[in-house]
Amino acid sequence: MKHKKGIHFEVSERKILLRIMDLVMVYLGIYCLNTFTDFDYLLFVIDNIIPLILLGIYVTIFGTVFELYDLQQASKLDITARNLTLAISVLVLFYLLTPFISPVLPEERIQILYFYFTLITAIFLWRIAYTQLIESPRFYKRILLVGDVSNIEGLVKSLDTSDPNYKIVGFLNSEESDSEPIKYKGLKEFPAKDFLEVLQRENISEVLVASFNTEAMVTEVYHDLILLLERGFKIRDYTQVYEEMLQRVPIQFVGKDFYKYFPYSRSNENKLYRFFQRTFDIIFSLCGLIFGLIILPLVYVGNLMGNKGPIFYIQERIGRNSKPFKIYKLRTMVVNAEEDGVKWAEKGDKRITRFGRFLRGSRLDEIPQFFNVLKGDMSIIGPRPERPFFVNELSRIIPFYEMRHIIKPGLTGWAQVNARYGSSIDDSLTKLQYDLYYIKHRSLFIDFSIIIKTLSTVLYYRGQ
């Protein structure tokens, strides 16, 4: 079988492409501004190599903070325009406030506006080209899903919203079945006997195998998969793609061979990494506590006006190795909020006070937890500590839930920056998937990513 491969960009390739072309367009814009106008604030010459490098660093950092490299958002021009305007506004402000590294402020202040609008225009022109070209159907990766029908809806749904360029165009049942073909949002089921023909006819670029009972796989399909593998056709396991694209561990698809999915990061036992992490925890928590003392008078006034009662709230949580500890927070709910029993906090929860809602949204209610970090009960980054009642409940329902306790809980974490506030068992399952992904892959790089994403969460007021 001959198969003509199309051009496809992986998730990582598109993110790198966005970053590189943003920098190219910024420098091209500055060069054109120098060439065709009297702009002299930032000349494109070798003597300005440090200010030019600084500009590139700022573009990368603030582009990340304001989610210019989120592929879902990058595919929508209106959202891109909003994020770009915010990112460049903050970038220019920081660039002007670092005069020892960036150029001295120009005498003609209008040049700052030229600089500002050139950066926005240059990047936005590239983003228009990106949505029209890279995000067009010609670059879609067309996928054939091969597996059993028992969980087809969950399989497709999980990947459907993760990458706009990843299109599952059809499904092939790998097990013997006398039932009618399934119908799921236009997803066609192809007969097993036409496997090889379907790949060519539908221009499939990758086969995704989601068979959780390999012994039940039809012999014909099994042999076709081996033949494709021998010919170099791309065949991938569903759980591998799920983890790579969604950046969380698919525990709902893990069976008796669960140990294959949890080869935890060597950083968990790396003494140098743990030393740096603890040093960062101490420095950051001291800074956080100083900031907390500065804003405490404002919190006190706000508490008197819209949150009457004690300022602080102490609650028992479960920490590393399932040991309980006392967590400190700024109170956001009415006094005796749980007199009717323990229940999930949910959106629009009437127990949350007016000022408490602001504290949650801005994440200021978490500031006292810097004391927990300083004590060593928590880390800056890790799974959020949960209450004993919910830990007991969730451990009975969700497999591997206790595994999140093998490291210290955190003030922020991979689940906090990627998932919404946990207000149900389904939300807790999703957050556990992210937590296990972090434990599995934790490193200085992913820690830095979490810090950047946390800034985005705070800036876009996504707290609850």
Side-chain angles (χ1 to χ4, degrees):
M1 181 196 76
K2 291 182 179 180
H3 184 260
K4 184 179 178 181
K5 292 187 177 180
I7 300 175
H8 311 288
F9 291 94
E10 300 290 344
V11 170
S12 58
E13 291 172 336
R14 271 175 282 142
K15 288 184 176 180
I16 292 172
L17 181 65
L18 284 172
R19 291 179 185 275
I20 291 176
M21 286 305 299
D22 279 358
L23 293 175
V24 169
M25 292 301 292
V26 161
Y27 290 132
L28 181 61
I30 297 298
Y31 177 78
C32 291
L33 198 58
N34 291 162
T35 304
F36 300 109
T37 70
D38 296 329
F39 181 80
D40 59 4
Y41 170 57
L42 180 59
L43 295 175
F44 207 90
V45 293
I46 193 66
D47 291 341
N48 278 339
I49 187 69
I50 292 178
L52 287 168
I53 290 174
L54 178 66
L55 178 61
I57 292 172
Y58 278 178
V59 168
T60 301
I61 291 175
F62 292 112
T64 303
V65 170
F66 289 95
E67 302 180 340
L68 289 178
Y69 307 115
D70 182 301
L71 295 182
Q72 287 288 344
Q73 300 201 35
S75 63
K76 301 170 185 175
L77 277 179
D78 56 338
I79 296 178
T80 296
R82 180 201 66 184
N83 291 346
L84 178 60
T85 302
L86 290 171
I88 298 302
S89 298
V90 177
L91 181 155
V92 170
L93 179 62
F94 268 76
Y95 200 72
L96 296 174
L97 294 175
T98 50
F100 296 107
I101 306 176
S102 57
V104 178
L105 290 175
E107 293 183 5
E108 297 179 9
R109 296 296 191 252
I110 195 170
Q111 292 206 16
I112 296 174
L113 285 178
Y114 293 158
F115 180 59
Y116 175 76
F117 286 113
T118 296
L119 297 182
I120 289 181
T121 303
I123 295 178
F124 192 65
L125 286 175
W126 146 240
R127 292 311 183 96
I128 293 174
Y130 172 81
T131 55
Q132 296 299 314
L133 298 175
I134 308 302
E135 288 290 316
S136 66
R138 70 171 66 91
F139 290 111
Y140 286 173
K141 178 178 282 190
R142 295 174 63 80
I143 309 300
L144 178 65
L145 185 62
V146 176
D148 55 74
V149 298
S150 59
N151 199 24
I152 180 63
E153 185 170 347
L155 296 173
V156 177
K157 247 182 190 175
S158 297
L159 299 182
D160 212 26
T161 56
S162 61
D163 182 1
N165 285 29
Y166 199 85
K167 302 295 180 184
I168 299 178
V169 298
F171 172 79
L172 190 144
N173 190 356
S174 63
E175 298 180 357
E176 293 285 359
S177 176
D178 299 323
S179 60
E180 291 292 320
I182 64 166
K183 291 183 179 179
Y184 174 69
K185 292 186 179 178
L187 192 67
K188 291 178 62 178
E189 180 177 356
F190 300 103
K193 61 183 180 64
D194 297 336
F195 190 1
L196 301 181
E197 181 189 334
V198 168
L199 296 182
Q200 194 164 15
R201 186 175 72 237
E202 298 292 333
N203 195 27
I204 301 298
S205 51
E206 182 178 307
V207 170
L208 195 58
V209 179
S211 179
F212 307 111
N213 183 12
T214 52
E215 293 180 359
M217 183 176 287
V218 177
T219 305
E220 186 179 12
V221 173
Y222 180 76
H223 287 308
D224 283 344
L225 286 171
I226 292 177
L227 178 63
L228 289 170
L229 192 65
E230 291 172 345
R231 294 182 179 181
F233 196 91
K234 196 168 186 179
I235 301 173
R236 302 179 74 188
D237 178 69
Y238 178 85
T239 53
Q240 175 192 359
V241 175
Y242 183 103
E243 185 170 330
E244 180 183 298
M245 289 179 59
L246 279 72
Q247 296 185 309
R248 60 192 209 223
V249 175
I251 57 174
Q252 68 272 44
F253 304 126
V254 174
K256 293 181 180 179
D257 55 350
F258 62 90
Y259 47 86
K260 294 180 181 178
Y261 299 90
F262 302 116
Y264 288 120
S265 169
R266 284 178 292 180
S267 295
N268 294 308
E269 301 300 328
N270 186 310
K271 291 183 179 179
L272 185 61
Y273 168 80
R274 290 164 66 181
F275 170 77
F276 279 123
Q277 185 190 46
R278 184 57 186 156
T279 303
F280 174 76
D281 284 349
I282 293 171
I283 294 173
F284 206 89
S285 58
L286 286 172
C287 293
L289 288 172
I290 292 170
F291 175 73
L293 288 173
I294 293 172
I295 67 165
L296 188 58
L298 298 175
V299 173
Y300 179 75
V301 173
N303 205 63
L304 287 175
M305 297 173 63
N307 193 23
K308 293 180 180 180
I311 293 180
F312 297 105
Y313 183 63
I314 302 175
Q315 196 176 63
E316 190 174 67
R317 297 289 176 98
I318 299 299
R320 187 182 182 188
N321 297 326
S322 299
K323 292 181 179 178
F325 70 98
K326 300 293 184 182
I327 198 172
Y328 304 95
K329 299 184 70 174
L330 292 176
R331 187 177 54 83
T332 59
M333 288 188 174
V334 296
V335 179
N336 298 323
E338 295 185 337
E339 58 185 357
D340 295 328
V342 179
K343 65 177 183 178
W344 296 100
E346 51 192 35
K347 193 171 182 179
D349 198 323
K350 294 180 179 179
R351 297 175 299 166
I352 302 174
T353 64
R354 287 181 299 162
F355 187 61
R357 204 169 300 283
F358 164 74
L359 291 174
R360 286 197 174 206
S362 60
R363 298 297 174 96
L364 292 176
D365 64 318
E366 312 283 4
I367 285 179
Q369 289 169 49
F370 284 117
F371 182 64
N372 289 112
V373 175
L374 196 60
K375 284 176 60 183
D377 294 329
M378 295 174 60
S379 181
I380 295 295
I381 298 171
R384 283 297 293 159
E386 194 51 85
R387 300 169 62 181
F389 174 83
F390 292 121
V391 169
N392 292 333
E393 290 293 309
L394 294 170
S395 297
R396 291 190 297 102
I397 301 170
I398 302 176
F400 312 111
Y401 187 81
E402 288 282 2
M403 296 185 77
R404 68 197 300 274
H405 298 135
I406 68 173
I407 64 172
K408 285 183 184 179
L411 193 60
T412 185
W414 194 239
Q416 280 64 50
V417 299
N418 285 292
R420 64 182 183 177
Y421 190 89
S423 58
S424 68
I425 292 174
D426 287 340
D427 290 343
S428 296
L429 171 62
T430 301
K431 293 188 76 173
L432 177 62
Q433 291 177 321
Y434 283 117
D435 286 334
L436 295 183
Y437 180 90
Y438 172 72
I439 295 170
K440 184 176 180 178
H441 298 281
R442 67 193 301 222
S443 63
L444 290 175
F445 176 77
I446 196 171
D447 287 346
F448 180 73
S449 299
I450 290 170
I451 295 297
I452 295 295
K453 284 175 175 285
T454 300
L455 292 175
S456 301
T457 301
V458 173
L459 288 169
Y460 286 108
Y461 204 67
R462 293 187 184 131
Q464 183 173 331

